[in-house]
Amino acid sequence: MIWRSRCSAGRALLHLLVAHLLWLNPTSAKKDKPEISSYKLDNPPSNFFYFDDSNTILLHDREGGIVHRSEDAGKTWDKVDIDGSAWDLWRHPQDNKKAYIMGKKSTHWHTNDQGKTWKDFEIPNARPSLFRAPLAFHAEDSDKVLIHGEVCKIRGVLDCKETTFYTQDGFEKVGLLRENTRGCVFAHATPEFKTGDDDKNDNRIVCVTTGRVSFDRREHKLAVSDNFFEDEEEPALEGDRTVQGIINIAVVKGYLVAAARAPHTDELAMYVTTDAIQWHRAIFPSDSRLKEDAYTILESTSYSIQVDVMTVDPPNPVGALFTSNSNGTYFTKNILYTNRNMHGIVDFEKVQNIDGIVLVNVVENVDEVERSFGRAEKRIKSQISFNDGRDFKDLTADKKTLHLHSVTEMNNIGRVFSSPAPGIVMGVGNTGDYLKDYEEGDLWISDDAGLTWSKALEEAHKYEFGDQGSILVAIYDEGPTDEIQYSLDHGKKWHKVDLPESKIRAKALTTTPDSTAMKFFLWGAKRGEGSEIEHWVFSINFEDMHEDKCQGKDFEKWTARVDDKGEASCVMGRKEYFSRRKADADCFIREKGFQELEPDFKNCECTKEDFECDYNFKKSDDGKDCVPDGPIPDPKGVCKGDTKTYKASSGFRKIPGNKCEGGKDLEKEVERSCGDTQKPPVSGEINTERTAFPAKSFRGYFYLERTESSSDSTKFSKDETVVMRTDKSEVYMSRDHGKSWDQILKGENIKEIYPHPHFNDVCYFITTSDVVHYTINRGDSFGKFKAPSEPTRDRDLQALGFHADYKDWLIWTGAVDCNKKGDCHNDAWFSTDRGGEWKYLLRFVRKCEFIKEAGRGDKEKLVYCEQFKDEKLNSPLELQSSDNWFADQKTHFHNIVDFATMSEFIIVASKSQSDTDSLKVDASVDGQTFADALFPKNFDVPVQKAYTVLDSHTHAVFMHVTVGNHKDAEYGSIIKSNSNGTSYVLSLDRVNRNTPGYVDFEKMLGLEGVALVNVVGNIEDAEKGNGKKLKTMITHNDGAEWSLVKAPQKDPEDNSYACNTNDLATCSLHLHGYTERRDPRAVFSSPSAVGLMMAVGNVGEYLTDKSEKTSDTFITRDGGVTWEAVKKGNYMWEYGDQGSVIIIVRDTVSTDEVFFSLDEGKTWTPYKFHNKKVHVAILSTVPSDTSLNFLLWGQEEDSDSEIVTFNLDFSQLKERERQCNLNENDPGAADSDYYLWAPKHPLQDSNCLFGHVAQYHRKIVDRDCFNGRSIQHLHNIAKDCECTRADFECDYNFEPAKDGSCKLVSGLEPPDHSQVCKEDAKKESYFLPTGYRRVPLSTCKGGNELEKYESKEEPCPGHETNFAETHGGLSGFWLFIFAVVLPIGIASAVGYWVWQNWNDKFGRIRLGEQGGAFDAGQPWIKYPVAVVSGVVAVLAAVPLLVGSVWRWVSGKFGGGRRYTTRGSFARGRGDYAVVDEDELLGEDDDEEV
């Protein structure tokens, strides 16, 4: 007792002493307002952040290359000593002690003590990546970091390779992870993500990488490694199949998400895994499609992914919000018409630290916005959900509707509305019908998590939360100010405090990431002397104010979500309660060590809301039950014998992480039938569906093919859509490959059908008037617009032109003044909103085209027009161009015949100035600068009348130049350019062409370097009118060598041919080529059936007429090396299921049967498809040749009033019931249904072709299974080979001698190889000519390098010193060959296979003589591929220079300030992963059949 009283007396004495000391020293007394200090910066900050749970701030000045550090929340500052080399600044997201400074070059720095000390580290020969975040982190082990960099072999930016490095020990050592990456992450990048395997959880890394042999983005793939890429594998994303076209990966809470895109569509596929082992494709409702640059992964929960999908296109985009189930596989729609901006940012934010509360902004007038193609202003309203998005309601303030500005208009950093302060939410906005401009808004506050709101301050303010909500700070945000305001009672009363500097325009206001601090950081700018802008930072400190620390009585128990009775409601099976400071409490929380107040939870009884659909189940149509999504997996050992039922999943499961107890138990197992485990058995039959149409002929048909990333149609699953027009101008559409047809656009007179050449889902229907109909979703719905005129009346031209990247950009070529005698001409207009608004482009044109092509560095708005000089129809055509819709224009040529575009070149045929009867060729790779095509010196064509470009996808142009143009005796020479188009050499002469200009030339699709031609064997007789005699020749090395085709020994009936097949001169195989083809799509080969070709021809000295008696049908299975005769007579063929089914039908006679083969043509089975004879005009299937359905188009013998189609469905064959198993990581596995096949040159013993052994996946012929999803047939390049003669062709001014060697043409000089030094200023050396040059596709190394053999290497002028130092090493030229030419070449052979298939199914375009049109003369047949080419080396480098300019711009501007975007700065209050992409290819055609 006495002791206690003495203590009390001592305490009283102590209080007196403290009071006396405070009186003596007033500066240490408690204050009634915060302390504010200021600090002037030399430059604006590019980034700054707090270390979590501290007052330490790092600030980066990129302009000065400086990092500033403050330990007292910005009151005082020191500079980090790194000599002005700071390029970027990053904070570790999980370790609050670590940060990183990325240098401008290869030296960087890291700290382990919040910046007190720094240690440098090196990334050898690399600089930080300019294309993605330079660092990726591990969630548990902060010493593990991935570094994205660029390794540049040549000084500057011309040859940079994206490379990822890693450290396991906090940058004590840095090692190479992998080259050619496009972004890598640790699987365990977030605390929530677990692999379920300790080893994998610790080290598993997932990367997006380039393809095996291609840098094309469509070949990008995933690679996974658990040992830092000592080994790697490609994961199966869809069933057992890998997926190419990966464009992005992101770890979101407990999910790893990958986005993929296929060619010919803007639709994306999303793949999700929760363990980095098992992947699933995310399934969205059938009326919702993910599109490129059109979906955003939002801030998600631990039990679902939130995704916003764009539903209305820019410039005023609108979206829809979707939420997944717990494994991320099935998504349901939560709310329509979400507001989003052009950058993919969505007005969506979760209230921090409270489960289930979400604020969104929605667009009220979405129909008006969509109809106006984004020109109408959006009317935006704010809504809130308290039950995790199951329903939303309006925000209210004083019974008025409130609307707030959200994340699409970021006016501060960090979160927009909330902080960790429980239930306190703020925002800028207004009451009324919809959201007004920011400057018309006021500051609003809610202390019940958004349920009710009140006005805090007039006018717009930036704001921040401190001391867990007990301190609110705001600063005026509509102009300069001299003060801040603060509130200590949840915004009811506000107090003003002057700033040390006047007229400050606030830029950012923030505090520690968890809002526990009592100090705030403000950055602002003001105008200094003259026009100088000064940048100031301020520290605002509330710690010394007089309020005491809060005690128990100062806190209240509060819950954010209540039901109708005011009781706490349940989310994820529990109720959530918070202890928070009362609004009127006169105290601060003042928790030491920045400790946050933790919520309390109480578990709820289970209800239906606590369950979701189990694996392999989906919601029923009414949403009440979970039903099987296909056959239920067979429980091993259960369904045997007479067992009919078994215990299995009810279809429901409790959402992982849900805490509910008792109540409903929907996941209790139920009795299921063993029959449910089985897929319905196939019938074993081929199914046939006949459809008749009241017409006399088909005028065109087109497939609108689903791509690999396409979702299901709203009406059809896995649709195979075909659209067709009859001679009555009626249009029919089938969604099931011709099993059923519907007439569409009834009553409309459809003149033409134009499928979009770059987007498979889009198709336009041209009428004879100015009305155009269209579909953008493969026929799910249709729209229309009014064109500015009727379509052009020129049958050789198409009315619509399309852009390669923007599917709504159109050019209309229309007929004008056609009612006036002699004045009918074409004018051109353009639209950027799919015909919503048209603007004049140019008058008196023949045609106009967008020039932008994927893979070529053209300007987006670059347009070429052929315009009549002085707008007079009898004047020459001039080639005009403009990149600003002809506000300005440039004249390139004054007298042209035509121009055409192709993947690598733009080609113009114009009349020679010296001889207007002769043509000249010019080409460009950038659309701006043109160069003459330089022909071989010994190539004497006095008057050049016509050219045809045959192919340019192997980075070398094959061009046919007409030499003889006597009617019905036309022929010419094929010349081939070098890899950069500077010069041409003769590849083969006497090559056949027909009167319209088409050439018997055909490349094998899917296999590099194989081509077939027909040559004229009797030129002199032919020119006398005796008819041409043709021979077929083949090349296996891209035109370097040609030979006659070795004939098979036996005919289809196993009889020997009459001639000696060992004597190629008199007995070889000859094939009917392109010039005799009825349907230009009926090519010899398929990109999906590698190694296979079929053709009709004969064995003998020459090609005979195409009659039943003289012709046979042949097949090759090894790329044209050997051939087999399979049927007597003429047959059409199609490949199905990537070659696992081949179907043939009689070509020239009526028939009632087809033959099919399931073993690559070794055996053939007849199938009778009808009880009447039918004249089959066309046999077709989807352009990718991946379907098991085929269509016969024709007319029954006894009918002249109707035409018919027959669908033949082979999917029910028992031999095609099971999907083939492909193990990409172990192709030789015992259970694999594939083997690796390597093509070879017939004159070589090895499998080396183009200097390497390429291995392709091919189905084992006798395996009874179907291929299904498109296979990436090229497995890898097994090895590079030594050089042989087959890797070389004759150099410029050299020609092949009889012995196969290359000899200098008599009287000519060797080419000047030093020219390469002028074309590439960085080149150090060149080789003197030997007569040989390397085939552009060849990668051979060593051996017989003929271009160097007996040749001397010389230094380029100015590089003598470097040459002396590096003599003997790999020269810049071969670096160019290996790093640029080879990837482009192989990308062409692999990445563009399907595109090539469609292009090559059109025929060839010719420029020059104006002859008859091909068949019906449809423009889609006449103008699909380009013609004529040549280009100089400096132009060939332009695409690379475009890339370098982008890197330079990125470097100069740094991609903008990170803190101005969502989830930047240090607060970590939600991150966005915006998935975007661009670039698509593809074309189709039309003709009367």
Side-chain angles (χ1 to χ4, degrees), residues 1405-1444:
I1405 304 174
R1406 51 90 186 165
L1407 302 178
E1409 301 167 337
Q1410 303 299 316
F1414 184 93
D1415 288 344
Q1418 303 298 333
W1420 285 99
I1421 292 178
K1422 297 188 70 175
Y1423 299 99
V1425 188
V1427 205
V1428 252
S1429 176
V1431 65
V1432 296
V1434 66
L1435 297 180
V1438 167
L1440 298 179
L1441 294 174
V1442 170
S1444 72

Side-chain angles (χ1 to χ4, degrees), residues 101-153:
I101 298 173
M102 307 306 292
K104 296 179 180 179
K105 297 181 180 179
S106 60
T107 302
H108 316 283
W109 297 264
H110 67 98
T111 179
N112 296 322
D113 53 13
Q114 296 187 341
K116 290 181 182 179
T117 60
W118 293 85
K119 187 175 181 179
D120 64 345
F121 64 92
E122 294 280 334
I123 304 177
N125 303 314
R127 63 188 182 198
S129 173
L130 297 177
F131 299 99
R132 60 202 82 257
L135 303 175
F137 304 97
H138 195 281
E140 287 188 4
D141 189 345
S142 62
D143 283 338
K144 292 178 179 176
V145 183
L146 305 179
I147 310 99
H148 296 124
E150 292 182 328
V151 177
C152 300
K153 295 183 178 179

Side-chain angles (χ1 to χ4, degrees), residues 897-1158:
V897 175
D898 209 342
F899 77 90
T901 60
M902 56 208 308
S903 62
E904 296 179 55
F905 302 96
I906 303 163
I907 307 100
V908 177
S910 61
K911 293 185 178 181
S912 173
Q913 294 181 356
S914 59
D915 182 3
T916 56
D917 290 331
S918 182
L919 298 182
K920 64 185 290 286
V921 176
D922 291 84
S924 173
V925 296
D926 66 350
Q928 304 292 329
T929 307
F930 285 83
D932 291 338
L934 304 178
F935 292 165
K937 297 295 185 183
N938 60 328
F939 185 64
D940 185 17
V941 183
V943 180
Q944 297 173 20
K945 287 286 188 180
Y947 313 95
T948 305
V949 164
L950 306 171
D951 183 79
S952 72
H953 294 108
T954 54
H955 212 57
V957 179
F958 281 92
M959 184 190 302
H960 182 278
V961 181
T962 297
V963 176
N965 59 352
H966 294 281
K967 185 174 176 56
D968 296 327
E970 297 90 352
Y971 71 95
S973 296
I974 292 178
I975 57 176
K976 181 188 176 186
S977 77
N978 60 348
S979 60
N980 55 16
T982 55
S983 62
Y984 290 76
V985 295
L986 180 65
S987 177
L988 187 64
D989 58 12
R990 302 178 295 113
V991 179
N992 182 53
R993 57 151 279 199
N994 62 10
T995 300
Y998 297 98
V999 179
D1000 277 342
F1001 173 95
E1002 182 150 341
K1003 278 227 169 182
M1004 185 172 189
L1005 303 177
L1007 196 63
E1008 53 192 18
V1010 179
L1012 290 156
V1013 299
N1014 282 338
V1015 298
V1016 180
N1018 64 331
I1019 289 175
E1020 293 182 0
D1021 287 344
E1023 290 182 338
K1024 294 177 182 178
N1026 294 327
K1028 289 187 281 190
K1029 294 182 178 181
L1030 304 180
K1031 287 175 171 281
T1032 299
M1033 302 189 76
I1034 191 169
T1035 178
H1036 293 272
N1037 56 2
D1038 212 34
E1041 298 172 296
W1042 295 87
S1043 63
L1044 295 169
V1045 182
K1046 176 72 174 177
Q1049 296 288 332
K1050 303 286 186 177
D1051 70 8
E1053 297 174 349
D1054 203 32
N1055 297 317
S1056 297
Y1057 284 104
C1059 59
N1060 180 9
T1061 57
N1062 292 320
D1063 182 7
L1064 287 181
T1066 60
C1067 189
S1068 61
L1069 176 61
H1070 309 290
L1071 306 172
H1072 293 278
Y1074 190 87
T1075 58
E1076 300 178 72
R1077 194 165 293 162
R1078 181 189 308 115
D1079 183 354
R1081 289 169 282 197
V1083 293
F1084 291 163
S1085 57
S1086 166
S1088 63
V1090 177
L1092 298 180
M1093 280 195 289
M1094 293 195 71
V1096 171
N1098 62 274
V1099 174
E1101 186 174 2
Y1102 297 106
L1103 181 67
T1104 61
D1105 63 320
K1106 198 175 182 181
S1107 67
E1108 286 294 308
K1109 293 183 179 180
T1110 60
S1111 297
D1112 294 336
T1113 301
F1114 298 84
I1115 192 171
T1116 177
R1117 306 178 188 92
D1118 54 11
V1121 177
T1122 61
W1123 292 79
E1124 179 183 336
V1126 294
K1127 285 290 176 184
K1128 295 289 290 183
N1130 299 324
Y1131 284 81
M1132 294 178 282
W1133 58 89
E1134 270 292 1
Y1135 305 93
D1137 189 43
Q1138 303 176 67
S1140 84
V1141 177
I1142 306 175
I1143 181 174
I1144 60 175
V1145 66
R1146 288 279 190 169
D1147 186 8
T1148 55
V1149 297
S1150 297
T1151 183
D1152 58 2
E1153 68 178 359
V1154 297
F1155 292 86
F1156 68 92
S1157 174
L1158 304 181

Side-chain angles (χ1 to χ4, degrees), residues 193 250-256 273-274 301-305 326-328:
F193 193 95
V251 182
V252 184
K253 293 287 188 178
Y255 306 91
L256 177 55
T273 179
T274 56
T301 68
S302 58
Y303 49 86
S304 68
I305 306 174
S326 66
N327 63 14

Side-chain angles (χ1 to χ4, degrees), residues 462 476-481 503-507 523-526:
K462 296 187 191 297
Y476 179 67
D477 197 28
E478 295 184 25
T481 184
K503 299 186 182 303
I504 291 294
R505 186 64 168 93
K507 297 294 186 181
W523 164 42
K526 62 178 291 187

